[in-house]
């Protein structure tokens, strides 16, 4: 909630100050907070405190004849602290000439004669006019979470993505271009070396925060509450969230652990238009957070951001080790770790990653591309959705593909939309050969049919396929040569992996080589990379969990 603007009355005569305070409160207390000061020095100190608390000051009403600092001097100095506040001088008839000179020289807004009785005629009309003029130019300060950083800082980009991924509203302030950001940092006693800095609504700050620090301030849980769970779901993409919803709704003690943000790769999609039941489409973030809220309502416990680094079996129980060294015990596990974007191996990519070069949609950077040229590498649906979203802001969006067209890799509805968008251009038979820039992306080098061309670029978004996020678990469960988890019949029929399954019953459809450990979604071998398919597999996994627990 925005704080009421302040009216500050200043007079060294206690009787006069009481009268001013009484009349101001009587007329303006509904919309303004009235403060008082008994001297110019006290008034300046009050203004500095208000400034440090980022409270708005609408009007200063100061007496002219005060010992130590006259009213004109005070109002002139006040202009350096609150340049937009209206400044009114209270003066006796004998000081009228000085007051008029002050209006001209010190740029005061008005002077009022003492006494002002009745105030309905001699005080309120003038102040109402001045306050109306101030209100017409006043923009209430943003009172939510604010992030101050550098536009081309990878850490600033990570924090923006993290906050956006959890649908946390925030105001981004670029330190290099935003005067308010510099003022805020100074007021907090910080410098540019402390960036990025997060300022919370209560005024507290965190400099260069870790994600776990932000998570705790946001009310997220990073420590398991129970000693033993029926099922732990690792990964909160569509398949993991579906597993959590069904597990919790069917009475299982369910825990879901996510290392980044909800939704996985689908969560970064600006628009999913082929998901059943949403004819007008919905964003990946919206879908993920609906599922998250549903899982929590049904009783699932969620740890985020928290990462599992090891899985082992002890006395039939599955023991998960987290990055902080803590352990979680469970009877069954569902691996829904998803996939991560493959990196583009060309000169400059590592150096400029997070500073104009982004893997995935990076929706938080779209507005910074306003009326600029951006490039997208890849021809899948994720690339197409990103192109449509970026076209809203960018001057021109170029989709770089190695092949002739998008037909082999992108859904027809997206190809049609792209074809009808005038500021999207397909560059066929083209590759990115190099990315250039000092501290951020400035140019891309294109290679087309053996010819090289350097072009200016504000941003480059990379969608060149994905690899399963299974490195940490491949020593426990069997993965294929690309890292995808083998499940079900593949464990007993694939000639490349003889005698993997050592139990009398056949493995359940989504079960790995470790009984009670299941895999669903994009990280599973043979899975279809579609949101609906991932949701279906996550739901199915709970059916097999029940069968395993009933053995």
């Amino acid at each position: 909630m925005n704080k009421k603007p302040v009216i500050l009355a200043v007079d060294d005569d206690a009787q006069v100050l009481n009268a001013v305070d009484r009349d101001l409160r009587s007329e303006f207390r509904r919309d303004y907070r009235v403060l008082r000061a008994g001297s110019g020095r006290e008034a300046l100190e009050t203004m500095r405190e208000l400034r440090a608390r980022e409270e708005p000051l609408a009007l200063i009403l100061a007496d002219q004849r005060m010992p130590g600092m006259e009213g004109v001097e005070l109002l002139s100095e006040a202009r350096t602290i609150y340049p937009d506040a209206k400044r009114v001088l209270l003066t006796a008839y004998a000081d009228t000439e000085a007051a008029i000179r002050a209006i001209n020289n010190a740029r005061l807004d008005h002077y009022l004669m003492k006494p002002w009785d009745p105030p309905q005629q001699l005080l309120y009309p003038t102040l109402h006019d001045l306050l109306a003029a101030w209100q017409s130019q006043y923009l209430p300060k943003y009172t939510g979470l604010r992030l101050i950083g550098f536009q081309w800082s990878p850490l600033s980009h990570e924090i923006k993505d993290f906050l956006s991924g959890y649908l946390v509203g925030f105001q981004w302030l670029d330190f290099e271009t935003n005067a308010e950001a510099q003022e805020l940092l100074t007021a907090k006693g910080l410098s540019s070396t402390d960036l990025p800095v997060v300022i919370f609504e209560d005024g507290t700050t965190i400099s260069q925060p870790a994600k776990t620090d932000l998570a705790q301030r946001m009310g997220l849980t990073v420590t398991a509450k129970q000693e033993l769970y029926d099922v732990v779901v690792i990964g909160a993409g569509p398949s993991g969230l579906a597993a959590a919803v069904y597990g919790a709704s069917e009475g299982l003690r369910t825990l879901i652990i996510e290392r980044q943000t909800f939704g996985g790769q689908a969560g970064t999609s600006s628009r999913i238009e082929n998901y059943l039941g949403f004819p007008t489409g919905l964003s990946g973030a919206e879908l993920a957070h609906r599922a998250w809220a549903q899982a929590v309502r049904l009783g699932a416990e969620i740890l985020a951001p928290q990462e599992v680094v090891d899985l082992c079996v002890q006395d039939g129980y599955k023991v998960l080790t987290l990055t902080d060294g803590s352990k979680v015990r469970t009877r069954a596990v569902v691996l829904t770790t998803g996939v991560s974007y493959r990196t583009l191996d060309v000169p400059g990519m590592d150096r400029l990653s997070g500073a104009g070069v982004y893997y995935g949609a990076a929706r938080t950077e779209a507005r910074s591309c306003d009326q600029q040229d951006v490039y997208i590498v890849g021809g899948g649906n994720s690339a197409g959705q990103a192109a449509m979203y970026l076209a809203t802001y960018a001057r021109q969006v170029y989709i770089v593909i190695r092949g002739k067209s998008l037909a082999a890799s992108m859904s027809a509805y997206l190809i049609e939309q792209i074809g009808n968008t005038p500021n999207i251009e397909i560059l066929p038979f083209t590759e990115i050969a190099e990315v250039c820039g000092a501290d951020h992306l400035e140019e891309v080098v294109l290679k087309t049919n053996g010819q090289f061309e350097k072009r200016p670029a504000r941003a480059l978004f990379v969608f060149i396929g994905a690899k399963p996020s299974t490195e940490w678990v491949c020593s426990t469960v069997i993965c294929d040569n690309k890292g995808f988890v083998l499940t079900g019949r593949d464990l007993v029929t694939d000639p490349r992996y003889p005698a993997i399954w050592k139990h009398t019953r056949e493995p359940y459809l989504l079960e790995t080589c470790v009984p009670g450990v299941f895999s669903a979604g994009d990280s599973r071998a043979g899975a279809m990379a579609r949101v609906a398919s991932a949701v279906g597999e996550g739901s199915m996994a709970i059916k097999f969990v029940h069968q395993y627990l009933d053995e």
Side-chain angles (χ1 to χ4, degrees):
M1 182 177 180
N2 288 318
K3 298 175 182 177
K4 287 183 179 180
V6 171
I7 296 175
L8 178 61
V10 189
D11 201 307
D12 67 307
D13 187 323
Q15 186 175 355
V16 174
L17 186 59
N18 287 335
V20 175
D21 183 74
R22 179 199 64 220
D23 289 342
L24 291 177
R25 291 179 187 275
S26 174
E27 181 71 7
F28 299 105
R29 64 184 174 187
R30 189 184 71 175
D31 300 314
Y32 296 89
R33 192 156 64 97
V34 178
L35 299 181
R36 51 194 288 173
S39 68
R41 296 298 175 193
E42 183 184 344
L44 289 175
E45 184 62 29
T46 298
M47 282 186 272
R48 293 188 183 103
E49 290 177 1
L50 290 172
R51 193 66 179 173
R53 296 199 301 265
E54 302 175 57
E55 295 191 44
L57 178 63
L59 183 142
I60 313 164
L61 185 65
D63 185 48
Q64 166 62 6
R65 292 195 175 184
M66 294 188 294
M69 179 180 289
E70 291 188 338
V72 170
E73 184 184 353
L74 165 64
L75 294 176
S76 298
E77 197 163 338
R79 189 165 177 265
T80 64
I81 304 173
Y82 277 97
D84 298 323
K86 297 301 179 182
R87 295 168 298 142
V88 179
L89 189 68
L90 278 177
T91 182
Y93 180 78
D95 296 322
T96 303
E97 187 176 341
I100 294 173
R101 284 200 305 270
I103 290 177
N104 294 329
N105 299 331
R107 298 173 64 181
L108 302 188
D109 295 289
H110 211 281
Y111 76 91
L112 291 171
M113 301 286 293
K114 295 190 297 184
W116 56 85
D117 190 54
Q120 291 79 6
Q121 297 177 17
L122 302 179
L123 179 67
Y124 297 155
T126 298
L127 297 189
H128 273 297
D129 287 345
L130 291 171
L131 290 170
W134 180 84
Q135 286 282 5
S136 68
Q137 301 295 322
Y138 168 62
L139 293 176
K141 293 289 185 182
Y142 182 81
T143 57
L145 186 149
R146 284 169 290 184
L147 172 61
I148 303 175
F150 295 108
Q151 174 62 42
W152 304 116
S153 160
L155 182 55
S156 295
H157 168 67
E158 284 181 25
I159 296 173
K160 282 192 281 185
D161 260 9
F162 179 79
L163 294 172
S164 298
Y166 285 99
L167 295 187
V168 175
F170 68 95
Q171 183 185 46
W172 162 247
L173 300 172
D174 185 354
F175 179 78
E176 294 181 307
T177 60
N178 191 295
E180 182 186 358
Q182 299 167 16
E183 291 176 9
L184 277 172
L185 214 60
T186 301
K188 298 296 181 183
L190 301 171
S191 68
S192 59
T193 59
D194 297 305
L195 296 176
V197 169
V198 174
I199 303 177
F200 295 94
E201 190 170 354
D202 62 3
T204 58
T205 63
I206 300 181
S207 174
Q208 301 176 2
K211 291 178 182 178
T212 51
D213 296 332
L214 289 175
Q216 290 175 331
R217 287 299 305 266
M218 290 157 51
L220 298 173
T221 303
V222 295
T223 305
K225 296 178 181 178
Q226 301 186 44
E227 293 185 1
L228 178 66
Y229 295 89
D230 293 318
V231 60
V232 172
V233 182
I234 305 175
S239 56
L241 290 167
V245 166
Y246 279 86
S249 68
E250 294 174 14
L252 298 178
R253 289 170 296 177
T254 304
L255 173 69
I256 183 168
I257 303 175
E258 171 55 47
R259 65 176 180 172
Q260 295 178 337
T261 55
F262 300 128
Q265 283 195 343
T268 66
S269 295
S270 55
R271 205 77 186 157
I272 301 172
E273 298 192 56
N274 58 356
Y275 188 63
L276 184 66
F278 294 89
T280 59
L282 78 168
S283 71
E286 183 183 0
L287 176 64
H289 281 264
R290 287 187 182 194
W292 172 28
Q294 189 176 15
V296 172
R297 182 179 66 82
L298 292 169
E301 183 184 332
I302 297 179
L303 298 189
Q306 187 61 273
E307 185 174 0
V308 181
V309 295
D310 186 52
L311 183 160
C312 65
V313 180
Q314 294 179 358
D315 301 325
Y317 294 106
K318 286 71 182 169
V319 180
L320 306 173
T321 303
L322 309 182
T323 47
D324 61 5
S326 61
K327 297 184 184 295
V328 175
R329 296 171 72 244
T330 179
R331 300 169 66 195
V333 171
V334 180
L335 300 171
T336 56
T337 53
V339 295
S340 57
Y341 288 108
R342 295 189 181 279
T343 57
L344 184 62
D345 187 18
V346 300
M349 288 294 293
D350 291 342
R351 184 172 57 84
L352 299 179
S353 181
V357 172
Y358 307 104
Y359 289 93
R363 294 171 59 199
T364 54
E365 305 301 335
R367 292 185 182 275
S368 69
C369 299
D370 187 51
Q371 297 305 307
Q372 304 284 327
D373 290 350
V374 302
Y375 288 78
I376 293 174
V377 183
N381 278 5
S382 295
Q385 290 161 353
M388 292 300 301
Y389 182 72
L390 290 166
T392 307
Y393 304 95
R395 186 188 72 84
Q396 190 72 29
V397 178
Y398 297 97
I399 301 178
V400 178
I401 55 174
R402 292 183 177 184
K404 179 181 180 181
S405 72
L406 300 171
S409 55
M410 189 177 293
S411 296
Y413 79 92
L414 268 175
I415 295 175
E416 182 179 358
Q417 289 180 359
I418 289 170
N420 293 329
T421 305
N423 63 330
I424 299 180
E425 181 180 344
I426 311 297
L427 300 179
F429 306 115
T430 302
E431 301 175 39
I432 299 291
E434 185 180 357
V435 293
C436 309
D439 59 351
H440 66 276
L441 179 70
E442 298 176 49
E443 297 173 315
V444 295
V445 178
L446 303 179
K447 180 182 178 183
T448 306
N449 296 323
Q451 301 296 315
F452 293 88
E453 178 187 5
K454 183 178 286 189
R455 294 188 181 185
R458 172 72 174 190
L460 173 68
F461 300 89
V462 181
F463 304 84
I464 56 170
K467 59 180 180 178
S469 301
T470 56
E471 301 90 347
W472 66 275
V473 78
C474 279
S475 60
T476 304
V477 300
I478 301 299
C479 301
D480 65 15
N481 57 3
K482 294 182 178 179
F484 293 93
V485 179
L486 292 176
T487 59
R489 293 290 296 169
D490 286 346
L491 297 173
V492 295
T493 60
D494 194 319
R496 294 173 296 174
Y497 308 101
I500 292 174
W501 185 257
K502 301 293 185 180
H503 306 276
T504 54
R505 67 167 174 83
E506 284 200 353
Y508 298 121
L509 182 62
L510 300 178
E511 195 168 21
T512 71
C513 64
V514 179
V517 177
F518 302 85
S519 180
D522 290 356
S523 60
R524 187 183 70 83
M528 180 184 297
R530 290 290 184 271
V531 174
S533 173
V535 169
E537 287 195 7
S539 308
M540 289 168 56
I542 297 303
K543 172 182 181 292
F544 299 125
V545 167
H546 277 295
Q547 292 180 343
Y548 168 76
L549 295 178
D550 290 340
E551 290 179 356

